[in-house]
Amino acid sequence: MNEISRILRKHQIKKWGVVNDPLAHSYEHYKKWLERGDHGVLKYLEGERGEKRESIKNYYEDFRSALVIAYDYSRTSKVSQAFYESEASNGLRIANYVLGFKGRDYHFELREKLEELAKDFKELYPNVEIKHSLDTQPVLERDLAMRAGLGWFGKNSMIINKEIGSYFILGALFFSEDISSDVEQKPSVEVDHCGNCTKCIDLCPTEAIDVNSRTLIADKCISTFSIELFKEAAAPEGMEKGRGEIYGCDICQDVCPWNKRVIRQSDDVTVEEIEDLKQRNQILFDLFLTDDLAVIINKLEAMSNREYRRVTKDTPVARTGRVGMLKNLKFYLDLKK
Ligand code: B12
Ligand code: SF4
Ligand code: SF4
């Protein structure tokens, strides 16, 4: 085993790949998406920040190579499913990526992991400079993952890996040296394994997936409504056909045969695992996933914005603020009227 593989094994990283080309292969695809206006309210993706995504060098001039990592949370998806199907669930759902990293915002949890990993790479390459990418940098991360051999662009626009499905977060380290020649595992770009399947398209409640471009119409997506909108806003048409999503949405992943296969083939969920999930995410379960909807809304209405920020600190749901979360919850209250 070479040094790079040894470091990755030490950090329990199983799915990864290395890329040395800074150019995004699907940038034209991205530009067309913006031109159609399919990014909707996600204005931060257009203009200069959008254009930067053409090449990683626009973000990090000294870029020579990237180590791209898939942080798998598929086990959480199976355990949370068991909870949602149990008597204890109040019928509301929070996306699995939120629960998958101990309830901590993955931007914090995985950034720490990437920083620890970078320390070991610094020992191996003392003169190298290392930066990271984790969602918020102007980088087309799915494109990067596709080029690193981590999977194909599914019709739901997720990167899907044949072995682990699509329940993973992408993170990357960028190096000022080309480390690709030190890697035993060479990336081979995965072919499309969606075939004739259209499950994600057919079962998305809000018809947010554009069949022809395999991209989302962002304003129609429950994920945009529930994560990205912080004030009163109209819910996307069809959201009432969903499953009680109050933060993020996993429907187009849960119905995907590649994820179903991963879930089916893994061990049965134990009662202890559900308890463990609850404990790790205690704030989220206590606030949102067990009480009656009206009780939750009353609790949030009695809080100040500051108090909401304090209680949800470090968790992903802090993002919407109290008002944004109340908007998500009240959608379901209005449905009952
Ligand atoms: C904006 C954004 C969103 C938006 C828009 C999502 C979208 N599909 O465009 C919203 C808020 C809706 C969202 C939702 C979610 N997101 Co998001 N999001 C992003 C972000 C910041 C940018 C994505 C973007 O640029 N979209 C624009 C489209 C056009 O680009 P794209 O998604 O990269 O898609 C490429 C492919 O579609 C490709 N392509 C597809 N078909 C074809 C065919 C050809 C021929 C070619 C050339 C190219 C091509 O071209 C596109 C451009 O590269 C990325 C992080 C990042 N920096 O990249 C995370 C990211 C994509 N999100 C992620 C996650 C986990 C989610 C959610 C699952 C969260 C949740 N549970 O609610 C959902 C999934 C919804 C979905 N089905 O996509 C992960 C995805 C990991 C993975 N396995 O793919 C990312 C990578 C964050 C991360 N670091 O892990 N997200
Ligand atoms: S995340 Fe939900 S709303 Fe968005 S495309 Fe997927 S199924 Fe549709
Ligand atoms: S549900 Fe079917 S079409 Fe959609 S991403 Fe999965 S395999 Fe592809």
Side-chain angles (χ1 to χ4, degrees):
M1 191 191 309
N2 78 1
E3 275 304 289
I4 294 183
S5 304
R6 191 189 56 75
I7 294 175
L8 292 165
R9 183 178 277 209
K10 176 183 157 196
H11 290 264
Q12 295 170 344
I13 292 166
K14 294 186 187 119
K15 282 280 168 230
W16 56 277
V18 171
V19 169
N20 58 9
D21 181 358
L23 292 179
H25 291 188
S26 60
Y27 179 66
E28 286 305 315
H29 205 74
Y30 176 74
K31 251 182 33 189
K32 284 193 187 130
W33 183 70
L34 291 177
E35 278 160 19
R36 288 195 301 273
D38 286 348
H39 59 306
V41 295
L42 306 173
K43 299 290 177 217
Y44 70 94
L45 294 170
E46 60 184 35
E48 207 187 315
R49 270 185 79 77
E51 283 160 22
K52 275 194 173 172
R53 288 165 159 81
E54 185 169 12
S55 167
I56 297 172
K57 279 184 176 283
N58 294 334
Y59 161 62
Y60 176 37
E61 208 183 341
D62 294 331
F63 172 90
R64 292 289 175 278
S65 57
L67 169 73
V68 193
I69 300 159
Y71 287 102
D72 184 350
Y73 58 86
S74 57
R75 187 68 197 162
T76 297
S77 304
K78 182 154 181 166
V79 180
S80 74
Q81 188 62 32
F83 169 77
Y84 290 135
E85 283 166 6
S86 76
E87 291 279 303
S89 162
N90 63 1
L92 300 175
R93 288 180 186 239
I94 290 182
N96 290 315
Y97 82 88
V98 175
L99 305 175
F101 300 97
K102 303 180 211 151
R104 257 192 110 196
D105 189 328
Y106 76 78
H107 298 95
F108 306 136
E109 180 72 12
L110 296 182
R111 189 178 62 211
E112 281 172 22
K113 283 196 190 295
L114 285 169
E115 280 167 0
E116 280 167 27
L117 184 64
K119 264 194 217 157
D120 281 352
F121 273 98
K122 270 279 197 194
E123 279 182 25
L124 187 60
Y125 301 102
N127 300 320
V128 84
E129 195 188 314
I130 307 178
K131 279 200 168 204
H132 77 268
S133 176
L134 181 61
D135 187 47
T136 54
Q137 288 69 19
V139 172
L140 285 178
E141 291 180 335
R142 281 173 169 155
D143 182 281
L144 189 63
M146 179 274 288
R147 293 190 284 122
L150 289 178
W152 74 96
F153 297 127
K155 289 181 193 170
N156 58 6
S157 91
M158 299 301 295
I159 287 286
I160 308 178
N161 181 285
K162 255 176 123 175
E163 285 164 28
I164 64 169
S166 68
Y167 299 120
F168 55 82
I169 290 293
L170 292 169
L173 290 183
F174 294 157
F175 299 88
S176 59
E177 255 180 46
D178 185 359
I179 66 159
S180 61
S181 53
D182 298 344
V183 171
E184 290 159 336
Q185 167 189 318
K186 301 292 171 216
S188 68
V189 171
E190 185 60 278
V191 294
D192 180 0
H193 292 289
C194 282
N196 294 328
C197 174
T198 54
K199 282 229 153 54
C200 54
I201 296 162
D202 302 341
L203 295 169
C204 166
T206 55
E207 299 180 17
I209 304 175
D210 176 37
V211 190
N212 300 317
S213 64
R214 292 180 166 213
T215 48
L216 298 195
I217 300 157
D219 284 358
K220 289 189 175 187
C221 179
I222 295 170
S223 189
T224 307
F225 172 75
S226 59
I227 302 178
E228 304 284 336
L229 300 180
F230 312 147
K231 292 183 193 146
E232 278 299 312
E237 219 173 289
M239 185 162 150
E240 66 286 354
K241 289 183 262 168
R243 307 174 304 185
E245 284 71 25
I246 56 163
Y247 194 88
C249 173
D250 288 324
I251 297 174
C252 57
Q253 293 194 81
D254 290 350
V255 300
C256 175
W258 290 97
N259 285 329
K260 279 186 179 279
R261 184 169 159 269
V262 173
I263 298 291
R264 199 176 50 242
Q265 288 179 351
S266 61
D267 293 343
D268 288 346
V269 174
T270 63
V271 176
E272 289 75 25
E273 270 183 296
I274 300 179
E275 280 315 307
D276 187 49
L277 181 78
K278 281 193 202 162
Q279 252 174 36
R280 283 165 179 256
N281 295 282
Q282 200 178 347
I283 294 163
L284 301 175
F285 275 84
D286 286 355
L287 255 186
F288 301 114
L289 299 179
T290 40
D291 280 342
D292 273 355
L293 181 58
V295 174
I296 303 173
I297 292 177
N298 282 343
K299 256 197 279 185
L300 256 65
E301 279 184 331
M303 271 182 202
S304 63
N305 292 341
R306 200 167 160 198
E307 175 72 352
Y308 179 86
R309 274 200 302 276
R310 190 189 63 74
V311 177
T312 59
K313 189 173 179 287
D314 282 352
T315 76
V317 304
R319 178 175 173 80
T320 54
R322 187 185 68 98
V323 175
M325 200 59 173
L326 271 171
K327 158 200 68 109
N328 300 345
L329 291 159
K330 283 182 177 169
F331 170 78
Y332 295 102
L333 195 69
D334 290 346
L335 275 189
K336 287 185 178 173
K337 283 180 189 160

